[in-house]
């Protein structure tokens, strides 16, 4: 487990920085800006890590040959029978949470395929359950108007063609056959893209030396030949700190288990767990409603999407307490969704006290802490705040002086215990304003 934490952390630092000239693969296969914007306008999605590993409640992939002996792990699928799985219910839970898209982990580093692929027998069709979880989710998403996306690993410890010298692997087949591994992946991707028509593909596992930038470019070009509008994350390449680096491949940045820094130049999506583990774990620590909302508004305040992860249980249901938490987030979004969906981050940099989003001449101020009750906002270069009001509420008095900017006195009891929202009206398009340090 430790090794896992180390790898992502160092990568995440890479993921956070980077603005440069654009000569990456993405440049040559640009997703039409309107398609990319429609993705970023969604702002909130559900990530689902799921597989036979839930029978043990250990982490998907990383517990292979660790907490769970390799051969036992690889045989779990023979018992895997999530009889209570109901794709419509998973999608309804996402919808009631206010999520606009859903990304299912179809194949993780353990190599198990959640769809009845013709490419390898290590898949759902060879379990007692047999039903196509990816296919049923794709159909349920279409029925309920939720955008369907798929996660696929480029690191597969189960596939003998993937050369590995790692404790998570059991084959110790150091030589492997990467060209054959990449062509196998193409066949799997063709099934996924043509059968389930995902809007976005979320790749992962690029950090091992066996996976090269050329492999990534080859897969990226192949996918764009299947669907030029397909949006692909930045984990096919070896450098994921910026999208314009030659080694970078992909259409958006993916900070993990932390909220990405405000970035007005490159699309980003933070992926974060609702609990602590990606796959289901009994009695796993779950984030409070306040922390969930705080994470969502700070992601949007950083001009990024939030992909919040849920790990369903072995019987196919999502834990009731997690469903309740998601519904509660949805209740908040029912009131304040206008301040999240289809907004831009800024103009103020997110901070401990507040974070902001903007749309037209409106700035949405998400108050994370009441603090002293005196909210101070630096002046906005070239713009004036004309009006301030609680979202869905009354007007708020504020003072303004050139030196310190704006002052708003906050009431002892805030309108929303988790995150109250003030709407500021400016005398010009707030989306054009430069980012202001707090
Ligand atoms: O190893 C995976 C991990 O299991 C999980 O899938 C996350 C999700 O983004 N990504 C990798 C760690 O960086």
């Amino acid at each position: 487990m430790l090794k896992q934490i180390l790898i992502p952390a160092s990568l995440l630092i890479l993921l956070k920085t980077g603005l440069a000239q654009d000569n990456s693969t993405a440049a040559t296969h640009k997703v039409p800006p309107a398609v990319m914007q429609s993705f970023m306008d969604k702002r909130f999605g559900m990530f689902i890590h799921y597989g036979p590993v839930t029978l043990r409640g250990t982490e998907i992939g990383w517990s292979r040959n660790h907490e769970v002996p390799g051969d036992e792990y690889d045989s779990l699928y023979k018992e895997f029978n999530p009889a209570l799985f109901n794709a419509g219910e998973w999608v309804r839970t996402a919808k009631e949470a206010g999520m606009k898209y859903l990304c299912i982990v179809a194949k993780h580093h353990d190599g198990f395929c959640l769809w009845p692929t013709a490419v390898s027998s290590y898949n759902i069709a060879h379990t007692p359950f047999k039903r196509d979880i990816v296919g049923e989710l794709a159909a349920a998403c279409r029925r309920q108007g939720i955008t369907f996306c798929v996660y696929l690993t480029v690191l597969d410890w189960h596939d003998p063609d993937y050369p590995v010298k790692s404790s998570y692997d059991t084959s110790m087949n150091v030589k492997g056959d990467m060209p054959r591994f990449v062509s196998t992946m193409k066949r799997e991707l063709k099934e996924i893209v043509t059968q389930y028509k995902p809007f976005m593909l979320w790749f992962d596992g690029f950090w091992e030396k066996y996976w090269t930038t050329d492999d990534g470019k080859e897969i990226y070009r192949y996918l764009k030949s299947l669907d030029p509008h397909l949006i692909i994350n930045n984990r096919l390449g070896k450098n994921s700190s910026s999208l314009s680096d030659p080694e970078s491949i992909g259409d958006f940045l993916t900070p993990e288990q932390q909220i990405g820094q405000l970035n007005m130049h490159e699309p980003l999506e933070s992926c974060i767990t609702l609990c602590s583990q990606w796959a289901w774990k009994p009695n796993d620590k779950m984030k409070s409603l306040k922390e969930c909302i705080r994470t969502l508004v700070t992601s949007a305040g950083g001009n990024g999407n939030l992909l919040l992860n849920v790990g369903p249980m072995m019987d196919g249901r999502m834990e009731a307490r997690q469903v309740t938490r998601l519904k509660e987030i949805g209740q908040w979004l029912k009131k304040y969704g206008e301040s999240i969906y289809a907004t831009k981050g800024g103009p103020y940099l997110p901070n401990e006290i507040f974070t902001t989003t903007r749309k037209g001449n409106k700035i949405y101020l998400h108050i994370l802490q009441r603090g002293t009750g005196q909210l101070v906002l630096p002046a906005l270069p070239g713009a004036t705040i004309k009006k301030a009001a609680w979202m869905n509420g009354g007007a708020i008095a504020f003072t303004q002086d050139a030196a310190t900017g704006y002052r708003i006195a906050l009431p002892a009891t805030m309108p929303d215990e988790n995150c109250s929202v003030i709407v500021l009206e400016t005398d010009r398009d707030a989306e054009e304003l430069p980012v202001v340090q707090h």
Side-chain angles (χ1 to χ4, degrees), residues 161-329:
D161 285 343
Y162 191 92
V164 160
K165 258 208 322 305
S166 111
S167 60
Y168 300 99
D169 185 309
T170 51
S171 72
M172 292 316 194
N173 168 353
V174 290
K175 208 166 103 9
D177 183 336
M178 277 308 277
R180 193 163 61 194
F181 178 77
V182 172
S183 73
T184 302
M185 185 186 291
K186 282 183 178 173
R187 291 163 53 210
E188 290 173 343
L189 286 168
K190 182 140 191 194
E191 289 178 347
I192 296 262
V193 173
T194 54
Q195 289 172 27
Y196 309 121
K197 300 186 176 34
F199 172 81
M200 175 263 276
L201 284 179
W202 214 99
F203 286 97
D204 203 2
F206 59 95
W207 48 80
E208 304 237 340
K209 67 171 186 281
Y210 309 102
W211 181 262
T212 66
T213 301
D214 288 346
D215 295 329
K217 286 183 176 164
E218 184 182 340
I219 293 289
Y220 189 91
R221 268 190 287 273
Y222 174 67
L223 287 167
K224 297 288 180 168
S225 71
L226 293 176
D227 173 0
H229 286 194
L230 192 56
I231 294 180
I232 297 171
N233 78 342
N234 71 330
R235 294 197 182 194
L236 275 177
K238 301 298 280 184
N239 174 327
S240 41
S241 61
S242 99
L243 298 178
S244 32
D245 176 285
E247 294 284 288
S248 169
I249 301 169
D251 308 315
F252 63 96
L253 298 170
T254 53
E256 176 173 320
Q257 292 293 44
Q258 62 177 301
I259 299 163
Q261 295 290 321
L262 181 140
N263 189 330
M264 300 309 294
H265 305 286
E266 297 183 319
L268 82 148
E269 175 205 68
S270 304
C271 58
I272 293 178
T273 51
L274 177 58
C275 296
S276 73
Q277 209 173 255
W278 295 99
W280 178 74
K281 179 164 101 176
N283 204 25
D284 198 1
K285 187 170 178 334
M286 183 172 72
K287 291 178 172 62
S288 67
L289 177 57
K290 181 170 240 175
E291 191 179 352
C292 292
I293 292 171
R294 202 188 166 90
T295 304
L296 176 60
V297 299
T298 308
S299 298
N303 202 39
N305 287 9
L306 172 65
L307 190 63
L308 188 62
N309 181 79
V310 178
M313 300 187 289
M314 63 186 87
D315 63 7
R317 294 172 304 151
M318 291 180 174
E319 261 193 79
R321 66 182 178 131
Q322 296 187 30
V323 172
T324 305
R325 176 69 78 246
L326 292 165
K327 274 208 179 97
E328 292 166 342
I329 299 171

